[in-house]
Amino acid sequence: MSMDGSDGGLYLVAFLALFVRWSGTHLWGIFCFAAFIVRAKATFRDGLFYDQQAMLRNSGSDSGALWQIVKMGTQWRKTSRRPMLRSLYLAVFAGLHLAAFAVAGIFSAKITGTNSKILLCSDQCGTLNFTILTSPRQFQYLRVDAAVSANHIATCFLNTSSTPVNCDSYVRNKPSWKLSEEESCPFADEMCYGAPGTSASKISVHLDSGPIDSTLDLVINAPPQDRVTLQRLLKYAPLWTDGFRSLKPQE
């Protein structure tokens, strides 16, 4: 299922990014309070210890706590025992929490596809099971789907003069063929001849479709284990026919 960006999809992406950050801030508060309770049982206490406890009890964010921990390690380096080492594990913990939720916020945008479409997962979406086609309505759906696919191919793939607006419905508009020329012959060298106006004794033209995904390119909605990738490689060459052709006698 997809939701158009103009219909609130972009707001959904923005909300998810804010929600991930809000969740990270509150989870950080829970972690800090738990660390505060555990550390309160420590027997060795000095000024650095109480500073760290105050930071854990009043920390508002992981980034702010990380900066406070770094400052504590430098400020207490002359009056406390091993301040940098004692602050290291707190700094690592704050840094990992900050990095984890930064990555989570970035990957929350993966629900977006191309063309500003928002991809949603629903129990009502899935693949068509061809083994249980029993009702006339199911066969009617297949006929309509085939007609829509044929119209899309004729309009977007075969129409090279212009690209209509509705051709951006899918992830990829059309396969991108790669054209290349080589000084080679797919048959015996004496069968090919070169291009006019060049010194090449033989020439061939290669057309490579590249990987064609059954879902992304051919729009076949199939389970992941049934997806296939195709590649079409065509080679053309001008050939001499004299001496290499024979006519089959008519019966």
Side-chain angles (χ1 to χ4, degrees):
M1 179 181 178
S2 64
M3 179 188 300
D4 193 271
S6 60
D7 293 332
L10 297 180
Y11 293 104
L12 175 61
V13 176
F15 168 76
L16 284 177
L18 292 175
F19 178 76
V20 169
R21 187 56 191 163
W22 176 82
S23 302
T25 301
H26 284 270
L27 184 61
W28 172 251
I30 295 174
F31 286 157
C32 285
F33 182 74
F36 174 83
I37 296 299
V38 172
R39 284 166 49 91
K41 302 177 182 179
T43 56
F44 178 78
R45 303 183 181 187
D46 59 358
L48 175 61
F49 173 84
Y50 288 112
D51 257 5
Q52 291 175 343
Q53 286 293 88
M55 181 275 300
L56 291 174
R57 192 65 185 89
N58 301 283
S59 177
S61 65
D62 45 13
S63 57
L66 181 60
W67 176 240
Q68 291 294 328
I69 294 170
V70 172
K71 290 198 300 182
M72 289 179 196
T74 57
Q75 291 171 353
W76 287 93
R77 66 181 183 276
K78 295 182 180 180
T79 57
S80 183
R81 187 178 65 180
R82 296 179 299 175
M84 298 299 295
L85 183 61
R86 292 166 57 190
S87 301
L88 179 61
Y89 74 96
L90 291 176
V92 171
F93 177 68
L96 289 177
H97 187 276
L98 176 63
F101 276 89
V103 172
I106 293 173
F107 276 92
S108 66
K110 287 184 68 65
I111 66 168
T112 59
T114 59
N115 308 321
S116 300
K117 301 294 182 181
I118 311 305
L119 305 181
L120 304 177
C121 182
S122 171
D123 295 337
Q124 305 300 321
C125 300
T127 57
L128 183 63
N129 189 350
F130 291 93
T131 62
I132 56 174
L133 295 178
T134 55
S135 66
R137 294 188 61 183
Q138 292 173 326
F139 286 101
Q140 182 181 4
Y141 166 79
L142 289 180
R143 288 196 298 269
V144 173
D145 187 62
V148 171
S149 300
N151 180 68
H152 180 81
I153 292 174
T155 304
C156 303
F157 290 2
L158 303 181
N159 182 15
T160 58
S161 59
S162 61
T163 303
V165 178
N166 59 351
C167 286
D168 62 350
S169 304
Y170 302 107
V171 176
R172 301 178 186 172
N173 293 340
K174 63 178 64 176
S176 55
W177 288 86
K178 183 179 180 181
L179 176 65
S180 61
E181 296 181 359
E182 291 185 5
E183 190 176 347
S184 62
C185 181
F187 305 100
D189 290 345
E190 60 270 15
M191 295 183 64
C192 299
Y193 63 89
T198 66
S199 60
S201 60
K202 51 187 177 296
I203 191 171
S204 61
V205 178
H206 295 200
L207 283 175
D208 187 358
S209 66
I212 300 177
D213 189 271
S214 60
T215 298
L216 300 180
D217 295 300
L218 303 181
V219 201
I220 300 176
N221 189 19
Q225 64 271 18
D226 294 335
R227 292 175 60 174
V228 295
T229 301
L230 311 174
Q231 185 171 6
R232 188 76 180 274
L233 180 61
L234 304 176
K235 183 179 292 188
Y236 301 90
L239 303 177
W240 293 106
T241 58
D242 295 340
F244 298 101
R245 64 177 178 175
S246 61
L247 298 178
K248 183 179 180 180
Q250 296 182 354
E251 297 180 355

